[in-house]
Amino acid sequence: MKSLTLIAVLLLFTYIVPVTAQQPALDIERIQRATVFVMQVRNVEDNLFITCVSSGTLVSRDGLILTNAHSTQQSADCPGTELIIALNVRSGESPIAQYRAEIAQIDPGLDLALLRITREPDGRLVNRENLALPFVELADSSATRIDETITIVGYPGIADDPVTAVQGTITGFALEPRSTNSASWIKTSAVISGTMSGGGAYNTQGQLVGIPTTAPLRQGILNTNCIPIQDTNRDGIVTASDDCIAIGGFINALRPSNLARPLVRAASLGLDVEVMSLPTTTSSGNTPTISRLFFSPSVNEAGMPTTVISNLPSGSTSLYLFFDYANMSPETVYELRVTTDGRPNATFSLAPVRWSGGSSGLWYIGSSGQPWPNGVYEFTLFANGVAAPTQRLTIGGPPQITATMSDIVFGLLNLRGEPLGNGFVLPSGNTASAQFLYRNMSNGTNWTAIWYLDGNEVSRTPDVWSEGETGSASTSIQDPNGLRPGSYRLELYVENGLAATSDFTLAGAQQGVRPQIFSNARFTTAATPAEAAQSGAISTFSDSIPQLYALFDWQQIAPGTLWTLRWLVDGDVFYEQVSPWTMPESGQNFTAILSSPNRLPDGTYNVQMLVNNLLLASIEAKVGIGQLPIDRFARADGVLLRGQILDSNTRQGIPGVAFILISEDFSVSDFDWNQSKVYALAVTDQNGFFELERPLEYSTDDREIAYSAVIAADGYQPISADGIEVTTETENPLELIIYLSRD
Amino acid sequence: MTFIELGSGSPDLSYRQRASHVIALAFAVFALVIGYNLRNTGLFSTTRYENVEAGIRAEYPRNWLFDNQGDYVFRVRNMTRVGFKTTIQVELRPVGAAGSTRSILDAISLERFQSLAAYQVINVDASTPLADDIESVTMAYTYADTDRDPFLQSIPTVVRGVDILAVRGGQVVIITFLADATTFESDYAFFERFLSGLEFR
C-alpha cells in the first residue's frame, strides 16, 4: 500500500516524548457513556409498561451492568419481568433504549445485581463478543478515605433528564458483620435522588468506588412520588388510575464496590454455583423485630463485641451498635436514625436500605477511625418502618472508672485451666469455658453469668466477685451428657447491668483443641450428583470441564448454625453465602456444583467452609493450565479516539470507511491485513463519524506505546501513519477530522 | 425532384498509411489487453492460505483483512469497500450421521432468525459445484445489517448472502459470501475466483 504521511490533524495527537506516568484525570464523559438507564417492564399483550426504573453502570465491554437488585428483580414493588437498557447515546440528551438484559448474578441482601445484555430491543440475540461498549473499572473501595472527593453519576428522573454527575465527599463509613476487610456502607455528603440508585460513585481516577443504594421507592413514603406515564389501564388517558413509577427519595449511602466484586467476577466468567441443600431465602411472614440494643467500642475477629459500654470518653473514634434481630429477610427495609443532642445527625445515620443479614442473629452497625464529637447520642433502628426502643449513649469527658468485663474467648480448658482453641467455634464435649478480662472490679460485687443455647437460657450462675480488681477470670458451662451442638451465648452481668457478651458455636468432633466439622472435602467431576458422590477426589483437571463438584462430609453441626460457603478462582472470591445449616447434624456428601454455560475457564479453584468467620476447611483444584485467561479488554481507561472522515472536495462525511488502528507491536509496513495485528477497528456512520471500539492505552516512561493507523476506502487515496502515542495529558476523548482525497 | 446523394469518399491511402493504421489499432488492442490484465492482476491478486488441521487450502483476495479468531476457520473482509465490507468466510461444523444438508440449513436459518434483522432465505439450490466434484447445496438469503455501535447513527444496509454447504466426513463445510446488495453482482467475481482456488484435503 502506498504509505503517505497522515495529515496534520492526525499528527496533533502524536507525542514523540512520553511524559512521566501519572494518574489520568476523571474522564466524566466516558463514565457518563457507561452509565445506563435500567427500565424494568411488564409485558401485557405485547405492550411494554414500565414498572421500575434505576441507574446502572457498564462494568465490561461485552455488556455486564452493575445496578441494584431491588429495581430489577421481580417483586411486589417491581412486578415487571423484563429489563430494557437505555444508553446515554449523546451527551446532554435523554437515554435511548438499545438492548434487553437479564439478571446474571444477584444478591438481594446487598441489593446488588449484575445484568447481562442479551438481546436487541426487537428480541434478536446480541453477539456479546461483538459488543464494544464503554465501561468502568472497579476501585479498591477499602482504599477510600474520609473527605475524599467523589462524583456520583446516574439518571435523576424518568422524564427527559439526561445523565447527571453530582459531586460530594465521603463523610464516613458504616461497618457491619461479614465485611471485615471493607466497610458495608460509604456515607456521602452528596445529594443523590432516589432514581440514581444503582448508578456509580467515582474517585478522582474515574474508578467505581460505590453504588448509590436505597431501599425500594414506594409511593407515599421516603419522600417519594409516583408518576403515571403510560396508559396501563387502556382507558385512553393517562391518569392517576394508571400504574405509576415511584421516583424521588434520597440516598446518603453507597454500597462499596468491593462488595460487588464477587458478583462481577462470577458474571464475567459465567460461573454459577448451585448448592444442593441451601434453602431459598424467603420471608417468614412474621413481623421483623429488633431487640437487645447495646454499644461496644470495638469488635473482635469473630464479629463479637469486646465489651459493653454506656458512654465513651472524648476523642473516641470507634463505636458499634449491636442488636438481635429476627424474622428479617432481604425484602426488609431497615434504617438507623441518629440524633446528637436532639438534632438529626446525617453523618452517622443510615437512610433506608435493604437488609443483608439473613433471618435472625446478632448484628452490628458501627464506624471505626472516624471521630465522634461529644454529645448525647440517641440511636433508633427501624425495621419496615417500625422503630425499636431507642438506645442512648453519651460521648465526652474523661474515661470513667467503672467495673468492666471484656474480651471473652471460649475454649476447652487445659491443665492450668486456660481455654484452648480458636475462641469461637468449639468441638462437642462436656464443658465449654469462657475466659474474660476484668477491670475496676471490687470483691463482694454481685455478678452473674448466663448461658443460652439457640436463644434459650440453659444456665445461670449468680455469684459474688472475689477475684480482685483487675485480671482475667473464667466461667464454664457443663453437661455430663455432653453439650448439644448449636449456637451458644454468654452474657456477663455486673450488678444487673450487661457488662460483656459473646456468641460461639459448638459443633464437630474434637480433634486436638479444634473442632472437626467438615471432613473428606474433595473436588470431582461427574454427570450427576449421585455419580459425583461415588467418584474419587480429583485435584487436577487437565481439560476444561463443564461442571466441578465440591463434596464434603460433616458431623455434629446443629440445624440453624450459621456457616459460610465460599468459592474462589485464582484467589478472588466469586461466591460467598452465609446461611443457616439445614441438613441433619451429621452426614456425607454435601454437594455444591460449579457450572458454566460453556466450559469452566481455566483456573485454580478453591472452596472454603467457615463458621463464625473462622476457616475450618479448604480444598483446591486446578482446571486446565490452572490460571484464568488474560482478558485483553480488561482496561477501561485510556483515550477514546473518535472523529469524522470527510471527502476533501465536498466536505461531506463519507459513510462506511474503515479506520484501522494497528497494535503497538507493528508498524504500517508490518501490517499484512491480519486481524491479529489490529488493535481496534471502526467504520464510519452515515455522516462519516467513527469511534474506536477500544480506548488507546497511555504511553509512559515505563512503557512506550506507539500505534499505527490505516484509513483506506475505494475511490480515495489511502493514508497511514506510525508512531501514534497518547499520554495522560492528551485530550480525552480525542476528536479527529480526517480528509480523504479522491484517486 | 432533387436528389441529394450523401456519401463519403474514401481517399486513396497509401500502403504505408494503411499499415500504420493497422499497427496503431493493434497497439491499442494490445494496450487494452495489457491494461485489462494489469487491472485483473491488481484486482484479483490473491494471498495463499492453508490450514492443515482443517484440510483446507485457499486463495483469498490480497489486502482483504484476514481473521481466524472467531468461530470460523477463517474470514476475509474487503475493508476498503465503502459501506458493508464484502466478506468471504469458511466455517466447519460437526454433523451427525443422520444429519442432512437440509437439516443443517434449517439450523443455520434458525440461528440467523435469532440474530439477524429481516433475515429471509431467497432460495436453496443444489447445483453449485465445488472442486473435486464435491456435492454441495447453495442457499441465498438477505438481511439488514446495522452497525453495532449504539453511539453512531448508521442506516441498515441490505446484505445479500450465499452459503455453500458441503458435507465432508463428519463435518459440514460452510462457505459464505456476503456483500452489499447493490454491489453483490460485481463482487461475486471475487467469490467465484475464491471457489475455483478452494481445495479440500
Side-chain angles (χ1 to χ4, degrees), chain A residues 59 75 97 159 407 463 531 549 695 718:
Chain A
V59 293
S75 65
D407 300 294
D463 205 348
E531 187 181 311
Y549 284 76

Side-chain angles (χ1 to χ4, degrees), chain A residues 33 87-90 98-99 119-120 124-125 134 655-656 658 673-676 685-687 691 712-714, chain B residues 63-67 69 77 79-83 85 114-117 147-155:
Chain A
R33 285 159 61 94
L87 299 189
N88 173 33
V89 173
R90 273 172 290 284
Q98 296 278 358
Y99 298 108
R119 292 178 181 274
E120 302 282 353
R124 285 179 293 120
L125 289 172
W673 295 91
N674 194 314
Q675 180 78 38
S676 62
D685 70 0
Q686 60 171 331
N687 298 313
E691 63 176 41
D714 288 345
Chain B
N63 290 348
W64 285 30
L65 187 65
F66 175 86
D67 179 10
Q69 299 170 356
R77 288 180 291 168
M79 300 308 291
T80 63
R81 166 67 74 192
V82 174
K85 309 305 176 195
Q114 291 277 318
S115 58
L116 300 179
D147 195 304
R148 291 291 182 187
D149 190 335
F151 301 100
L152 298 178
Q153 301 174 18
S154 296
I155 295 175

Side-chain angles (χ1 to χ4, degrees), chain A residues 56 77 109 232 276 320 332 350 358 439 452 465 569 608 681 726:
Chain A
D77 294 319
T232 58
M276 300 300 289
Y320 295 82
T332 304
L350 182 65
R439 292 192 307 275
Y452 300 86
W465 189 257
V569 59
Q608 299 177 345
L681 184 64
V726 296

